[in-house]
Amino acid sequence: MKIKRTGHYAAVGAALVAATLQASSGMATASTGAVRVWTSGGPDELSCKATTLQCTLTAYVLDSSAPVTISVNGTVIMTGRPAPDPYAAPAGKLTATWIPQKVGVNTITAQQGAESDSIAIQIMDNNGLDAFLERNHIACKTGSGGCPPIGHQ
């Protein structure tokens, strides 16, 4: 099972709505806000899917003044202050690069104070049959080769 989040604008909008609802109910805290984490690929089609390929991990937060920690399977990849995000002001983001080394399910977590968000992604062996078949499938879908002749699918 692989879970990958996209839709930056919708998610940050949802986070802003959640924070507004908290503020209107008197439950908002000054030091932390909603946190969301996403993965995105790099130059290879299997980025964030296969070992030894670069994966970008991004945390989006409402509070740009407090540090954010991004971790994989409990190991801290980066801690830092989020930078303002010009696409979702006043929210901020912190981006880290991770190169998976082990096959299996990996849990990526972004945490700011007591707020956190986690996602799980499945990593395959970059040199294995699954990665070969996935690359072949991608090449077939994009028309860049690798497809069986018509009638032999």
Side-chain angles (χ1 to χ4, degrees):
M1 176 179 85
K2 176 171 185 326
I3 300 169
K4 188 170 182 179
R5 293 190 183 176
T6 57
H8 167 250
Y9 299 112
V12 170
L16 291 171
V17 169
T20 302
L21 290 174
Q22 281 183 338
S24 67
S25 65
M27 296 186 309
T29 62
S31 62
T32 62
V35 175
R36 298 293 174 249
V37 63
W38 280 268
T39 63
S40 58
D44 190 288
E45 292 95 358
L46 296 184
S47 295
C48 297
K49 296 180 184 179
T51 57
T52 69
L53 298 176
Q54 179 177 311
C55 181
T56 300
L57 311 176
T58 304
Y60 292 97
V61 298
L62 293 176
D63 181 4
S64 292
S65 67
V68 176
T69 298
I70 299 173
S71 61
V72 177
N73 300 325
T75 300
V76 173
I77 302 298
M78 171 183 252
T79 297
R81 293 213 185 272
D85 184 354
Y87 300 106
K93 71 178 184 178
L94 180 69
T95 302
T97 300
W98 170 58
I99 300 174
Q101 300 298 317
K102 293 184 179 182
V103 173
V105 176
N106 292 269
T107 303
I108 293 119
T109 302
Q111 184 164 356
Q112 184 182 49
E115 301 286 333
S116 67
D117 185 34
S118 295
I119 57 174
I121 60 172
Q122 176 69 43
I123 300 295
M124 67 182 95
D125 182 353
N126 190 32
N127 297 314
L129 179 60
D130 288 340
F132 173 78
L133 293 173
E134 182 71 17
R135 281 192 179 88
N136 195 35
H137 177 72
I138 291 167
C140 186
K141 281 178 33 178
T142 61
S144 61
C147 300
I150 294 176
H152 293 87
Q153 298 180 2

